[in-house]
Amino acid sequence: MTTGAQLLDIARCFQLEGTPMQVDNLGDGFINDTYIIRLSDSSVKYILQRKNTNIFKDIPGMMNNIQAITVHLKKKIAAAGGDPMREALTVVPAKDGRLFYEHEGEYWCVTVFIDNSVSYDKADTPLLAERGGRGIGRFQAMLSDFDQPLTDTLPGFHNIRFRYGQWDDTLARDPEHRAASVRGLIDEIESRRSEMLDFYRLIETGRIPLRVTHNDTKIANMLFDHDGNVLCVLDLDTVLKAPCLYDFGDSIRSYTNTGAEDDPNTDNVSMSRGMYDAFLRGYLSEAGSFLTDIERQYLPFSARYITYEQVLRFLMDYIDGDKYYKVKYPEHNLVRTRAQLKLLQSIERQLF
Ligand code: GN1
Ligand code: MG
């Protein structure tokens, strides 16, 4: 636990426009710890994050990525007559000029808080899903000519071959002796293995191209304006060279779910076809100009692929003893697994 006084000390290490007065918890991301910094002498607010070093092994590399990407986005936004301070994240350096502050092996980073915006855990109308699709399509389009090298912040992130390596190892170790109790769920993973590898081969062989993509496009990772348009894409930790299908697939996993990602009542969970069509429409309005035929062809499969991968990741973490995702109660990863499997089955029924 980091105390309020310690958080204030950390906030003071950054180049803020005033004096930090208070630091409070914000949101509940699964990976990093997020806080809001308020100043005593200015209305500007900041986001302070403790990056998760269990997961991200090269935070300086990650922050260099985020800096380069946001600078690129801001140029595009300004050229289009937008507001670069509100439509892209702004990284605030530490007083020593670095893009992070390191203290006792922990890495802290600050960005400017974007006020007067709306965030959602769930898409409540098809119009919002359409706007979300347009926002991610535009994000990818703005980065389509980004040509600087990017650090691979999370090697193997959506690589199902890599995930099977982790999976096989976790099942072999079974450190908490949980595997026997989830045999049916393990079978759900295994029964789809060869189809998932067939898809992944299209990426390995270069038939599906790599682009600069976000890789974690759930609705909670975008800010909307009061008219329901995407204002700013957040959480740039996993911007990588990857197929743009991963962004589409992860968005469908999030925007179309009629229940919660961790819904304890799986009756609530299904894919809304109306939300799917709306998101697709919005996405194609921006991405349609650069997608190749094979990318277009595999858009529906990407929803299946990413949702399947999420089932695998939640179940693997449960079997592993809950080491990756933050959990709120002992069986949380298992509840997440069941809810995401229900969503996967609904996607499979409706799109295939
Ligand atoms: C994590 O960072 P956050 O909370 O937006 C995870 C995603 C999962 C998501 C599930 C780096 O996202 O891959 O899809 O949880 N991020 C990482 O909600 O593993
Ligand atoms: Mg994240």
Side-chain angles (χ1 to χ4, degrees), residues 246-280:
Y246 295 163
D247 287 355
F248 182 79
D250 199 44
S251 302
I252 295 305
R253 183 184 75 76
S254 162
Y255 280 80
T256 70
N257 190 349
T258 54
E261 188 183 63
D262 59 351
D263 217 308
N265 180 1
T266 56
D267 289 345
N268 295 335
V269 176
S270 64
M271 182 192 91
S272 155
R273 182 69 210 224
M275 293 288 191
Y276 179 87
D277 292 337
F279 189 93
L280 177 65

PDB file of all heavy atoms in Angstrom, residues 246-280:
ATOM      1  N   TYR A 246      -6.739  -7.365 -34.413  1.00  0.00           N
ATOM      2  CA  TYR A 246      -6.780  -7.526 -32.949  1.00  0.00           C
ATOM      3  C   TYR A 246      -7.624  -6.412 -32.317  1.00  0.00           C
ATOM      4  O   TYR A 246      -8.355  -6.648 -31.351  1.00  0.00           O
ATOM      5  CB  TYR A 246      -5.377  -7.491 -32.347  1.00  0.00           C
ATOM      6  CG  TYR A 246      -4.450  -8.625 -32.735  1.00  0.00           C
ATOM      7  CD1 TYR A 246      -3.078  -8.506 -32.534  1.00  0.00           C
ATOM      8  CD2 TYR A 246      -4.932  -9.816 -33.281  1.00  0.00           C
ATOM      9  CE1 TYR A 246      -2.204  -9.535 -32.861  1.00  0.00           C
ATOM     10  CE2 TYR A 246      -4.056 -10.847 -33.616  1.00  0.00           C
ATOM     11  CZ  TYR A 246      -2.692 -10.705 -33.405  1.00  0.00           C
ATOM     12  OH  TYR A 246      -1.836 -11.709 -33.726  1.00  0.00           O
ATOM     13  N   ASP A 247      -7.484  -5.198 -32.846  1.00  0.00           N
ATOM     14  CA  ASP A 247      -8.271  -4.081 -32.292  1.00  0.00           C
ATOM     15  C   ASP A 247      -9.757  -4.281 -32.577  1.00  0.00           C
ATOM     16  O   ASP A 247     -10.604  -4.038 -31.719  1.00  0.00           O
ATOM     17  CB  ASP A 247      -7.838  -2.744 -32.910  1.00  0.00           C
ATOM     18  CG  ASP A 247      -6.487  -2.282 -32.397  1.00  0.00           C
ATOM     19  OD1 ASP A 247      -5.931  -2.946 -31.510  1.00  0.00           O
ATOM     20  OD2 ASP A 247      -5.995  -1.249 -32.891  1.00  0.00           O
ATOM     21  N   PHE A 248     -10.040  -4.704 -33.793  1.00  0.00           N
ATOM     22  CA  PHE A 248     -11.448  -4.935 -34.127  1.00  0.00           C
ATOM     23  C   PHE A 248     -12.014  -6.038 -33.232  1.00  0.00           C
ATOM     24  O   PHE A 248     -13.071  -5.891 -32.612  1.00  0.00           O
ATOM     25  CB  PHE A 248     -11.595  -5.309 -35.612  1.00  0.00           C
ATOM     26  CG  PHE A 248     -13.028  -5.504 -36.012  1.00  0.00           C
ATOM     27  CD1 PHE A 248     -13.841  -4.422 -36.273  1.00  0.00           C
ATOM     28  CD2 PHE A 248     -13.574  -6.785 -36.086  1.00  0.00           C
ATOM     29  CE1 PHE A 248     -15.187  -4.596 -36.620  1.00  0.00           C
ATOM     30  CE2 PHE A 248     -14.908  -6.973 -36.425  1.00  0.00           C
ATOM     31  CZ  PHE A 248     -15.716  -5.871 -36.688  1.00  0.00           C
ATOM     32  N   GLY A 249     -11.289  -7.133 -33.118  1.00  0.00           N
ATOM     33  CA  GLY A 249     -11.770  -8.268 -32.338  1.00  0.00           C
ATOM     34  C   GLY A 249     -11.974  -7.904 -30.870  1.00  0.00           C
ATOM     35  O   GLY A 249     -12.989  -8.264 -30.261  1.00  0.00           O
ATOM     36  N   ASP A 250     -11.026  -7.184 -30.294  1.00  0.00           N
ATOM     37  CA  ASP A 250     -11.165  -6.843 -28.874  1.00  0.00           C
ATOM     38  C   ASP A 250     -12.303  -5.851 -28.665  1.00  0.00           C
ATOM     39  O   ASP A 250     -12.982  -5.881 -27.634  1.00  0.00           O
ATOM     40  CB  ASP A 250      -9.843  -6.294 -28.317  1.00  0.00           C
ATOM     41  CG  ASP A 250      -9.810  -6.387 -26.800  1.00  0.00           C
ATOM     42  OD1 ASP A 250     -10.216  -7.437 -26.244  1.00  0.00           O
ATOM     43  OD2 ASP A 250      -9.410  -5.401 -26.137  1.00  0.00           O
ATOM     44  N   SER A 251     -12.511  -4.996 -29.640  1.00  0.00           N
ATOM     45  CA  SER A 251     -13.646  -4.061 -29.536  1.00  0.00           C
ATOM     46  C   SER A 251     -14.963  -4.823 -29.551  1.00  0.00           C
ATOM     47  O   SER A 251     -15.869  -4.530 -28.758  1.00  0.00           O
ATOM     48  CB  SER A 251     -13.649  -3.083 -30.711  1.00  0.00           C
ATOM     49  OG  SER A 251     -12.454  -2.368 -30.771  1.00  0.00           O
ATOM     50  N   ILE A 252     -15.077  -5.791 -30.441  1.00  0.00           N
ATOM     51  CA  ILE A 252     -16.331  -6.553 -30.522  1.00  0.00           C
ATOM     52  C   ILE A 252     -16.555  -7.296 -29.206  1.00  0.00           C
ATOM     53  O   ILE A 252     -17.675  -7.331 -28.677  1.00  0.00           O
ATOM     54  CB  ILE A 252     -16.297  -7.526 -31.731  1.00  0.00           C
ATOM     55  CG1 ILE A 252     -16.233  -6.723 -33.040  1.00  0.00           C
ATOM     56  CG2 ILE A 252     -17.503  -8.470 -31.715  1.00  0.00           C
ATOM     57  CD1 ILE A 252     -17.329  -5.688 -33.228  1.00  0.00           C
ATOM     58  N   ARG A 253     -15.487  -7.853 -28.656  1.00  0.00           N
ATOM     59  CA  ARG A 253     -15.571  -8.537 -27.359  1.00  0.00           C
ATOM     60  C   ARG A 253     -16.145  -7.594 -26.292  1.00  0.00           C
ATOM     61  O   ARG A 253     -16.909  -8.015 -25.424  1.00  0.00           O
ATOM     62  CB  ARG A 253     -14.151  -8.984 -26.960  1.00  0.00           C
ATOM     63  CG  ARG A 253     -14.045  -9.775 -25.689  1.00  0.00           C
ATOM     64  CD  ARG A 253     -12.593 -10.088 -25.351  1.00  0.00           C
ATOM     65  NE  ARG A 253     -11.876  -8.937 -24.834  1.00  0.00           N
ATOM     66  CZ  ARG A 253     -12.004  -8.457 -23.602  1.00  0.00           C
ATOM     67  NH1 ARG A 253     -12.790  -9.052 -22.742  1.00  0.00           N
ATOM     68  NH2 ARG A 253     -11.346  -7.374 -23.217  1.00  0.00           N
ATOM     69  N   SER A 254     -15.830  -6.336 -26.390  1.00  0.00           N
ATOM     70  CA  SER A 254     -16.266  -5.393 -25.374  1.00  0.00           C
ATOM     71  C   SER A 254     -17.592  -4.705 -25.732  1.00  0.00           C
ATOM     72  O   SER A 254     -18.552  -4.736 -24.956  1.00  0.00           O
ATOM     73  CB  SER A 254     -15.150  -4.349 -25.200  1.00  0.00           C
ATOM     74  OG  SER A 254     -15.611  -3.194 -24.571  1.00  0.00           O
ATOM     75  N   TYR A 255     -17.672  -4.128 -26.925  1.00  0.00           N
ATOM     76  CA  TYR A 255     -18.841  -3.306 -27.272  1.00  0.00           C
ATOM     77  C   TYR A 255     -20.121  -4.117 -27.432  1.00  0.00           C
ATOM     78  O   TYR A 255     -21.210  -3.595 -27.224  1.00  0.00           O
ATOM     79  CB  TYR A 255     -18.597  -2.537 -28.581  1.00  0.00           C
ATOM     80  CG  TYR A 255     -17.759  -1.287 -28.436  1.00  0.00           C
ATOM     81  CD1 TYR A 255     -16.376  -1.368 -28.359  1.00  0.00           C
ATOM     82  CD2 TYR A 255     -18.347  -0.031 -28.383  1.00  0.00           C
ATOM     83  CE1 TYR A 255     -15.597  -0.222 -28.234  1.00  0.00           C
ATOM     84  CE2 TYR A 255     -17.579   1.118 -28.262  1.00  0.00           C
ATOM     85  CZ  TYR A 255     -16.203   1.005 -28.190  1.00  0.00           C
ATOM     86  OH  TYR A 255     -15.455   2.144 -28.064  1.00  0.00           O
ATOM     87  N   THR A 256     -20.014  -5.365 -27.857  1.00  0.00           N
ATOM     88  CA  THR A 256     -21.246  -6.088 -28.188  1.00  0.00           C
ATOM     89  C   THR A 256     -21.773  -6.932 -27.038  1.00  0.00           C
ATOM     90  O   THR A 256     -22.835  -7.538 -27.163  1.00  0.00           O
ATOM     91  CB  THR A 256     -21.036  -7.040 -29.394  1.00  0.00           C
ATOM     92  OG1 THR A 256     -20.208  -8.125 -28.979  1.00  0.00           O
ATOM     93  CG2 THR A 256     -20.398  -6.319 -30.573  1.00  0.00           C
ATOM     94  N   ASN A 257     -21.028  -7.007 -25.936  1.00  0.00           N
ATOM     95  CA  ASN A 257     -21.432  -7.888 -24.829  1.00  0.00           C
ATOM     96  C   ASN A 257     -22.666  -7.314 -24.123  1.00  0.00           C
ATOM     97  O   ASN A 257     -22.625  -6.192 -23.612  1.00  0.00           O
ATOM     98  CB  ASN A 257     -20.258  -8.027 -23.848  1.00  0.00           C
ATOM     99  CG  ASN A 257     -20.502  -9.102 -22.807  1.00  0.00           C
ATOM    100  OD1 ASN A 257     -21.620  -9.616 -22.670  1.00  0.00           O
ATOM    101  ND2 ASN A 257     -19.461  -9.434 -22.055  1.00  0.00           N
ATOM    102  N   THR A 258     -23.753  -8.087 -24.092  1.00  0.00           N
ATOM    103  CA  THR A 258     -24.976  -7.613 -23.414  1.00  0.00           C
ATOM    104  C   THR A 258     -24.845  -7.705 -21.889  1.00  0.00           C
ATOM    105  O   THR A 258     -25.678  -7.175 -21.158  1.00  0.00           O
ATOM    106  CB  THR A 258     -26.196  -8.457 -23.846  1.00  0.00           C
ATOM    107  OG1 THR A 258     -25.882  -9.843 -23.613  1.00  0.00           O
ATOM    108  CG2 THR A 258     -26.514  -8.254 -25.321  1.00  0.00           C
ATOM    109  N   GLY A 259     -23.822  -8.389 -21.406  1.00  0.00           N
ATOM    110  CA  GLY A 259     -23.579  -8.471 -19.964  1.00  0.00           C
ATOM    111  C   GLY A 259     -22.247  -7.837 -19.630  1.00  0.00           C
ATOM    112  O   GLY A 259     -21.682  -7.093 -20.423  1.00  0.00           O
ATOM    113  N   ALA A 260     -21.758  -8.159 -18.432  1.00  0.00           N
ATOM    114  CA  ALA A 260     -20.452  -7.624 -18.021  1.00  0.00           C
ATOM    115  C   ALA A 260     -19.361  -8.635 -18.365  1.00  0.00           C
ATOM    116  O   ALA A 260     -19.631  -9.828 -18.510  1.00  0.00           O
ATOM    117  CB  ALA A 260     -20.453  -7.344 -16.523  1.00  0.00           C
ATOM    118  N   GLU A 261     -18.145  -8.141 -18.478  1.00  0.00           N
ATOM    119  CA  GLU A 261     -17.017  -9.035 -18.775  1.00  0.00           C
ATOM    120  C   GLU A 261     -16.904 -10.123 -17.709  1.00  0.00           C
ATOM    121  O   GLU A 261     -16.495 -11.241 -18.006  1.00  0.00           O
ATOM    122  CB  GLU A 261     -15.729  -8.199 -18.833  1.00  0.00           C
ATOM    123  CG  GLU A 261     -14.529  -8.955 -19.323  1.00  0.00           C
ATOM    124  CD  GLU A 261     -13.269  -8.094 -19.293  1.00  0.00           C
ATOM    125  OE1 GLU A 261     -12.836  -7.659 -18.207  1.00  0.00           O
ATOM    126  OE2 GLU A 261     -12.705  -7.853 -20.377  1.00  0.00           O
ATOM    127  N   ASP A 262     -17.265  -9.763 -16.489  1.00  0.00           N
ATOM    128  CA  ASP A 262     -17.160 -10.738 -15.386  1.00  0.00           C
ATOM    129  C   ASP A 262     -18.548 -11.017 -14.803  1.00  0.00           C
ATOM    130  O   ASP A 262     -18.708 -11.146 -13.587  1.00  0.00           O
ATOM    131  CB  ASP A 262     -16.215 -10.222 -14.304  1.00  0.00           C
ATOM    132  CG  ASP A 262     -16.665  -8.901 -13.723  1.00  0.00           C
ATOM    133  OD1 ASP A 262     -17.619  -8.285 -14.269  1.00  0.00           O
ATOM    134  OD2 ASP A 262     -16.080  -8.465 -12.710  1.00  0.00           O
ATOM    135  N   ASP A 263     -19.541 -11.084 -15.675  1.00  0.00           N
ATOM    136  CA  ASP A 263     -20.918 -11.258 -15.198  1.00  0.00           C
ATOM    137  C   ASP A 263     -21.067 -12.598 -14.481  1.00  0.00           C
ATOM    138  O   ASP A 263     -20.821 -13.641 -15.078  1.00  0.00           O
ATOM    139  CB  ASP A 263     -21.886 -11.200 -16.384  1.00  0.00           C
ATOM    140  CG  ASP A 263     -23.163 -10.505 -16.017  1.00  0.00           C
ATOM    141  OD1 ASP A 263     -23.753 -10.926 -14.992  1.00  0.00           O
ATOM    142  OD2 ASP A 263     -23.552  -9.562 -16.707  1.00  0.00           O
ATOM    143  N   PRO A 264     -21.470 -12.582 -13.220  1.00  0.00           N
ATOM    144  CA  PRO A 264     -21.663 -13.866 -12.535  1.00  0.00           C
ATOM    145  C   PRO A 264     -22.883 -14.613 -13.083  1.00  0.00           C
ATOM    146  O   PRO A 264     -22.978 -15.830 -12.932  1.00  0.00           O
ATOM    147  CB  PRO A 264     -21.869 -13.480 -11.067  1.00  0.00           C
ATOM    148  CG  PRO A 264     -22.046 -12.007 -11.039  1.00  0.00           C
ATOM    149  CD  PRO A 264     -21.672 -11.423 -12.366  1.00  0.00           C
ATOM    150  N   ASN A 265     -23.796 -13.882 -13.718  1.00  0.00           N
ATOM    151  CA  ASN A 265     -24.960 -14.522 -14.318  1.00  0.00           C
ATOM    152  C   ASN A 265     -24.761 -14.583 -15.833  1.00  0.00           C
ATOM    153  O   ASN A 265     -24.991 -13.596 -16.542  1.00  0.00           O
ATOM    154  CB  ASN A 265     -26.228 -13.726 -13.967  1.00  0.00           C
ATOM    155  CG  ASN A 265     -27.463 -14.361 -14.571  1.00  0.00           C
ATOM    156  OD1 ASN A 265     -27.385 -15.402 -15.236  1.00  0.00           O
ATOM    157  ND2 ASN A 265     -28.600 -13.729 -14.353  1.00  0.00           N
ATOM    158  N   THR A 266     -24.366 -15.760 -16.329  1.00  0.00           N
ATOM    159  CA  THR A 266     -24.033 -15.851 -17.758  1.00  0.00           C
ATOM    160  C   THR A 266     -25.275 -15.712 -18.636  1.00  0.00           C
ATOM    161  O   THR A 266     -25.150 -15.522 -19.838  1.00  0.00           O
ATOM    162  CB  THR A 266     -23.286 -17.155 -18.082  1.00  0.00           C
ATOM    163  OG1 THR A 266     -24.084 -18.248 -17.646  1.00  0.00           O
ATOM    164  CG2 THR A 266     -21.921 -17.207 -17.414  1.00  0.00           C
ATOM    165  N   ASP A 267     -26.475 -15.787 -18.044  1.00  0.00           N
ATOM    166  CA  ASP A 267     -27.685 -15.534 -18.839  1.00  0.00           C
ATOM    167  C   ASP A 267     -27.699 -14.107 -19.384  1.00  0.00           C
ATOM    168  O   ASP A 267     -28.364 -13.814 -20.375  1.00  0.00           O
ATOM    169  CB  ASP A 267     -28.951 -15.735 -17.993  1.00  0.00           C
ATOM    170  CG  ASP A 267     -29.179 -17.211 -17.671  1.00  0.00           C
ATOM    171  OD1 ASP A 267     -28.523 -18.058 -18.335  1.00  0.00           O
ATOM    172  OD2 ASP A 267     -29.981 -17.502 -16.762  1.00  0.00           O
ATOM    173  N   ASN A 268     -26.985 -13.226 -18.695  1.00  0.00           N
ATOM    174  CA  ASN A 268     -26.939 -11.828 -19.169  1.00  0.00           C
ATOM    175  C   ASN A 268     -26.047 -11.658 -20.391  1.00  0.00           C
ATOM    176  O   ASN A 268     -26.106 -10.632 -21.069  1.00  0.00           O
ATOM    177  CB  ASN A 268     -26.367 -10.911 -18.074  1.00  0.00           C
ATOM    178  CG  ASN A 268     -27.258 -10.834 -16.863  1.00  0.00           C
ATOM    179  OD1 ASN A 268     -28.460 -11.048 -16.961  1.00  0.00           O
ATOM    180  ND2 ASN A 268     -26.668 -10.541 -15.696  1.00  0.00           N
ATOM    181  N   VAL A 269     -25.168 -12.641 -20.610  1.00  0.00           N
ATOM    182  CA  VAL A 269     -24.083 -12.445 -21.584  1.00  0.00           C
ATOM    183  C   VAL A 269     -24.446 -13.006 -22.954  1.00  0.00           C
ATOM    184  O   VAL A 269     -24.867 -14.156 -23.071  1.00  0.00           O
ATOM    185  CB  VAL A 269     -22.788 -13.133 -21.079  1.00  0.00           C
ATOM    186  CG1 VAL A 269     -21.674 -13.022 -22.113  1.00  0.00           C
ATOM    187  CG2 VAL A 269     -22.357 -12.545 -19.738  1.00  0.00           C
ATOM    188  N   SER A 270     -24.283 -12.196 -23.983  1.00  0.00           N
ATOM    189  CA  SER A 270     -24.411 -12.665 -25.366  1.00  0.00           C
ATOM    190  C   SER A 270     -23.822 -11.572 -26.249  1.00  0.00           C
ATOM    191  O   SER A 270     -23.543 -10.471 -25.775  1.00  0.00           O
ATOM    192  CB  SER A 270     -25.882 -12.893 -25.741  1.00  0.00           C
ATOM    193  OG  SER A 270     -26.574 -11.660 -25.694  1.00  0.00           O
ATOM    194  N   MET A 271     -23.636 -11.894 -27.533  1.00  0.00           N
ATOM    195  CA  MET A 271     -23.215 -10.852 -28.459  1.00  0.00           C
ATOM    196  C   MET A 271     -24.451 -10.193 -29.048  1.00  0.00           C
ATOM    197  O   MET A 271     -25.324 -10.878 -29.576  1.00  0.00           O
ATOM    198  CB  MET A 271     -22.383 -11.432 -29.604  1.00  0.00           C
ATOM    199  CG  MET A 271     -21.897 -10.331 -30.541  1.00  0.00           C
ATOM    200  SD  MET A 271     -21.211 -10.909 -32.103  1.00  0.00           S
ATOM    201  CE  MET A 271     -22.673 -10.915 -33.125  1.00  0.00           C
ATOM    202  N   SER A 272     -24.529  -8.885 -28.957  1.00  0.00           N
ATOM    203  CA  SER A 272     -25.630  -8.172 -29.610  1.00  0.00           C
ATOM    204  C   SER A 272     -25.278  -7.967 -31.076  1.00  0.00           C
ATOM    205  O   SER A 272     -24.298  -7.292 -31.403  1.00  0.00           O
ATOM    206  CB  SER A 272     -25.854  -6.814 -28.919  1.00  0.00           C
ATOM    207  OG  SER A 272     -26.462  -5.928 -29.833  1.00  0.00           O
ATOM    208  N   ARG A 273     -26.084  -8.551 -31.949  1.00  0.00           N
ATOM    209  CA  ARG A 273     -25.833  -8.429 -33.383  1.00  0.00           C
ATOM    210  C   ARG A 273     -25.959  -6.972 -33.845  1.00  0.00           C
ATOM    211  O   ARG A 273     -25.217  -6.488 -34.695  1.00  0.00           O
ATOM    212  CB  ARG A 273     -26.831  -9.334 -34.132  1.00  0.00           C
ATOM    213  CG  ARG A 273     -26.677  -9.365 -35.626  1.00  0.00           C
ATOM    214  CD  ARG A 273     -25.392 -10.067 -36.001  1.00  0.00           C
ATOM    215  NE  ARG A 273     -24.854  -9.553 -37.245  1.00  0.00           N
ATOM    216  CZ  ARG A 273     -24.360 -10.301 -38.228  1.00  0.00           C
ATOM    217  NH1 ARG A 273     -24.319 -11.612 -38.090  1.00  0.00           N
ATOM    218  NH2 ARG A 273     -23.869  -9.766 -39.312  1.00  0.00           N
ATOM    219  N   GLY A 274     -26.903  -6.265 -33.228  1.00  0.00           N
ATOM    220  CA  GLY A 274     -27.084  -4.851 -33.593  1.00  0.00           C
ATOM    221  C   GLY A 274     -25.838  -4.033 -33.270  1.00  0.00           C
ATOM    222  O   GLY A 274     -25.412  -3.169 -34.049  1.00  0.00           O
ATOM    223  N   MET A 275     -25.237  -4.322 -32.115  1.00  0.00           N
ATOM    224  CA  MET A 275     -24.017  -3.597 -31.733  1.00  0.00           C
ATOM    225  C   MET A 275     -22.871  -3.973 -32.669  1.00  0.00           C
ATOM    226  O   MET A 275     -22.042  -3.144 -33.029  1.00  0.00           O
ATOM    227  CB  MET A 275     -23.618  -3.944 -30.293  1.00  0.00           C
ATOM    228  CG  MET A 275     -24.585  -3.447 -29.265  1.00  0.00           C
ATOM    229  SD  MET A 275     -24.487  -1.643 -29.092  1.00  0.00           S
ATOM    230  CE  MET A 275     -25.485  -1.467 -27.625  1.00  0.00           C
ATOM    231  N   TYR A 276     -22.829  -5.253 -33.059  1.00  0.00           N
ATOM    232  CA  TYR A 276     -21.766  -5.702 -33.972  1.00  0.00           C
ATOM    233  C   TYR A 276     -21.849  -4.930 -35.286  1.00  0.00           C
ATOM    234  O   TYR A 276     -20.874  -4.364 -35.769  1.00  0.00           O
ATOM    235  CB  TYR A 276     -21.885  -7.211 -34.233  1.00  0.00           C
ATOM    236  CG  TYR A 276     -20.827  -7.730 -35.198  1.00  0.00           C
ATOM    237  CD1 TYR A 276     -19.580  -8.125 -34.742  1.00  0.00           C
ATOM    238  CD2 TYR A 276     -21.079  -7.771 -36.575  1.00  0.00           C
ATOM    239  CE1 TYR A 276     -18.603  -8.568 -35.625  1.00  0.00           C
ATOM    240  CE2 TYR A 276     -20.103  -8.203 -37.467  1.00  0.00           C
ATOM    241  CZ  TYR A 276     -18.869  -8.606 -36.979  1.00  0.00           C
ATOM    242  OH  TYR A 276     -17.897  -9.031 -37.850  1.00  0.00           O
ATOM    243  N   ASP A 277     -23.061  -4.916 -35.857  1.00  0.00           N
ATOM    244  CA  ASP A 277     -23.234  -4.250 -37.151  1.00  0.00           C
ATOM    245  C   ASP A 277     -22.903  -2.758 -37.046  1.00  0.00           C
ATOM    246  O   ASP A 277     -22.291  -2.182 -37.945  1.00  0.00           O
ATOM    247  CB  ASP A 277     -24.669  -4.443 -37.667  1.00  0.00           C
ATOM    248  CG  ASP A 277     -24.937  -5.907 -38.028  1.00  0.00           C
ATOM    249  OD1 ASP A 277     -23.966  -6.646 -38.306  1.00  0.00           O
ATOM    250  OD2 ASP A 277     -26.116  -6.318 -38.020  1.00  0.00           O
ATOM    251  N   ALA A 278     -23.294  -2.157 -35.925  1.00  0.00           N
ATOM    252  CA  ALA A 278     -23.045  -0.719 -35.753  1.00  0.00           C
ATOM    253  C   ALA A 278     -21.546  -0.449 -35.618  1.00  0.00           C
ATOM    254  O   ALA A 278     -21.012   0.470 -36.254  1.00  0.00           O
ATOM    255  CB  ALA A 278     -23.792  -0.208 -34.519  1.00  0.00           C
ATOM    256  N   PHE A 279     -20.861  -1.263 -34.810  1.00  0.00           N
ATOM    257  CA  PHE A 279     -19.416  -1.053 -34.636  1.00  0.00           C
ATOM    258  C   PHE A 279     -18.702  -1.229 -35.978  1.00  0.00           C
ATOM    259  O   PHE A 279     -17.846  -0.425 -36.356  1.00  0.00           O
ATOM    260  CB  PHE A 279     -18.832  -2.002 -33.581  1.00  0.00           C
ATOM    261  CG  PHE A 279     -17.403  -1.658 -33.246  1.00  0.00           C
ATOM    262  CD1 PHE A 279     -17.102  -0.816 -32.181  1.00  0.00           C
ATOM    263  CD2 PHE A 279     -16.359  -2.127 -34.033  1.00  0.00           C
ATOM    264  CE1 PHE A 279     -15.784  -0.449 -31.902  1.00  0.00           C
ATOM    265  CE2 PHE A 279     -15.032  -1.761 -33.760  1.00  0.00           C
ATOM    266  CZ  PHE A 279     -14.751  -0.930 -32.695  1.00  0.00           C
ATOM    267  N   LEU A 280     -19.091  -2.295 -36.699  1.00  0.00           N
ATOM    268  CA  LEU A 280     -18.471  -2.587 -38.000  1.00  0.00           C
ATOM    269  C   LEU A 280     -18.656  -1.402 -38.960  1.00  0.00           C
ATOM    270  O   LEU A 280     -17.710  -0.979 -39.645  1.00  0.00           O
ATOM    271  CB  LEU A 280     -19.106  -3.857 -38.586  1.00  0.00           C
ATOM    272  CG  LEU A 280     -18.634  -4.270 -39.973  1.00  0.00           C
ATOM    273  CD1 LEU A 280     -17.155  -4.645 -39.952  1.00  0.00           C
ATOM    274  CD2 LEU A 280     -19.454  -5.464 -40.483  1.00  0.00           C
TER     275      LEU A 280
END
